[in-house]
Each structure stands twice: as C-alpha cells, then as structure tokens.
C-alpha cells in the first residue's frame, strides 16, 4: 500500500499554532480536499479528528473513510478507531484501498515516519512563521532521505513540495 503524508506547514515547519489554529489559504484547502477525494480515505490522530469533526470538515472533503489512531474506541460507519499506524494500514488494505492518506498531527506523522511507513510527502508551504506551535513531526527517533518529485505553485504565496521518502 502506498502511504502519502499530506500537510500544510508554515515556512518554519509548524502545522498549527499552539491553540490548534491553522490560518491556511483557500487554495491549500482545495488542494488537500482534491487529494482526500481522490484517495477516499484519511488517517488522522485523535486531536485532528476532534478539530475536523467540530468544524464539519469531513463533509467538505467528500466524507472519506477515516481511521483515527487512538487508544479510544468509538466506531461508526465512516470512522474507525485503531491503536497503531500498522493497524490503520491493515484496516485500509482489508477494505480494498491501494493508497492511504495520512494527515496529522505531529505525533501521528512522527510515528509513521519512525516506522518507515511513509512513501511520499506533500507539503503545502504557507506564507506564515509561528514562534511556537505544533511541529510537522514530533520529536522522535527517525531519519529519512527525501527526493523532490515536483513543485507546484498553489497561489501567489503558497507552494506545494512533493517528495519521495527513502527510509
């Protein structure tokens, strides 16, 4: 299964402010939404799930089958809760998906990278700098080499970087 990490970040590598605010552009949101609709699934952490659920964002991205990596259990038809990145991928494979879209937060991103489970990364770099907040990857023991596959200008001030990951 091909695993794609897709995140919007500031120019200095944050995915959100400390209060979870993400002042991203409409162009970034449209690009992410297109990818989510294409892949038809999403793997996120518990905090990201709560934020997206409260903002009714799942409907905006086509209600993809969503897997939440969390120790809590609360399954319904379009959401599944699992305990690890590996179990998330196993579930998606059982359901016949060929690709998985990982979309945060920092701890989840880090756990996927540490376990060598990410094949590609899309980073939408927004024109912001945050002095503190949630990093793209939480501190952990990982290292990966990247190859730039493409760049794309999403708007006057926002660019997309697409990388292949070598673990």
């Amino acid at each position: 299964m091909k695993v794609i990490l897709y995140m919007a970040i500031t120019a200095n590598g944050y995915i959100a402010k400390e209060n979870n605010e993400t002042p991203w552009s409409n162009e970034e949101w449209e690009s992410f939404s297109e990818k989510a609709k294409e892949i038809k699934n999403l793997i996120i952490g518990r905090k990201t799930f709560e934020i997206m659920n409260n903002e009714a964002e799942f409907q905006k991205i086509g209600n993809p089958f969503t897997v939440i990596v969390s120790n809590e259990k609360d399954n319904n038809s379009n959401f599944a809760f699992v305990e690890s990145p590996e179990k998330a991928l196993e579930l998606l494979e059982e359901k016949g998906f060929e690709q998985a879209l990982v979309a945060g937060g920092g701890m989840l991103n880090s756990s996927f990278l540490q376990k060598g489970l990410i094949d590609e990364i899309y980073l939408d770099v927004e024109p912001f700098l945050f002095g503190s907040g949630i990093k793209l990857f939480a501190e952990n023991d990982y290292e990966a080499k990247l190859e730039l596959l493409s760049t794309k200008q999403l708007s006057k001030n926002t660019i997309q970087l697409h990388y292949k990951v070598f673990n």
Side-chain angles (χ1 to χ4, degrees):
M1 171 174 285
K2 183 178 184 179
V3 180
I4 299 167
L5 173 67
Y6 193 117
M7 298 297 303
I9 63 169
T10 64
N12 61 334
Y14 288 97
I15 60 174
K17 294 181 179 180
E18 286 183 358
N19 65 359
N20 295 313
E21 183 183 343
T22 55
W24 309 141
S25 65
N26 290 335
E27 293 85 0
E28 190 286 324
W29 179 252
E30 288 171 19
S31 181
F32 171 73
S33 296
E34 285 177 23
K35 186 59 76 177
K37 288 174 184 174
E38 171 192 329
I39 294 180
K40 295 181 177 51
N41 69 65
L42 195 59
I43 302 173
I44 53 178
R46 181 69 183 191
K47 288 180 189 174
T48 303
F49 169 71
E50 290 171 0
I51 293 164
M52 290 182 74
N53 205 28
N54 290 339
E55 299 292 323
E57 292 179 346
F58 294 107
Q59 295 83 358
K60 295 174 188 174
I61 60 172
N63 291 308
F65 180 75
T66 302
V67 182
I68 299 96
V69 179
S70 171
N71 290 327
E72 295 182 33
K73 299 282 186 222
D74 181 19
N75 294 335
N76 73 39
S77 63
N78 215 38
F79 301 111
F81 289 74
V82 298
E83 296 174 357
S84 70
E86 294 90 348
K87 289 190 185 292
L89 297 177
E90 286 173 19
L91 177 60
L92 291 175
E93 284 180 346
E94 287 172 12
K95 295 214 170 263
F97 290 103
E98 295 178 7
Q99 297 183 80
L101 186 62
V102 178
M107 290 177 63
L108 181 70
N109 298 346
S110 178
S111 65
F112 268 83
L113 188 62
Q114 182 185 33
K115 294 174 182 191
L117 299 174
I118 299 174
D119 298 302
E120 294 182 9
I121 299 175
Y122 285 86
L123 296 176
D124 292 348
V125 184
E126 290 276 36
F128 293 97
L129 298 172
F130 298 163
S132 63
I134 301 168
K135 294 179 182 179
L136 174 61
F137 295 103
E139 290 187 25
N140 210 327
D141 184 22
Y142 57 80
E143 186 173 316
K145 183 176 176 10
L146 306 177
E147 175 186 331
L148 184 63
L149 297 176
S150 66
T151 61
K152 179 178 177 183
Q153 190 147 358
L154 299 180
S155 71
K156 179 182 174 197
N157 293 311
T158 303
I159 61 166
Q160 181 179 86
L161 304 172
H162 179 197
Y163 291 101
K164 179 177 181 174
V165 179
F166 296 95
N167 295 306

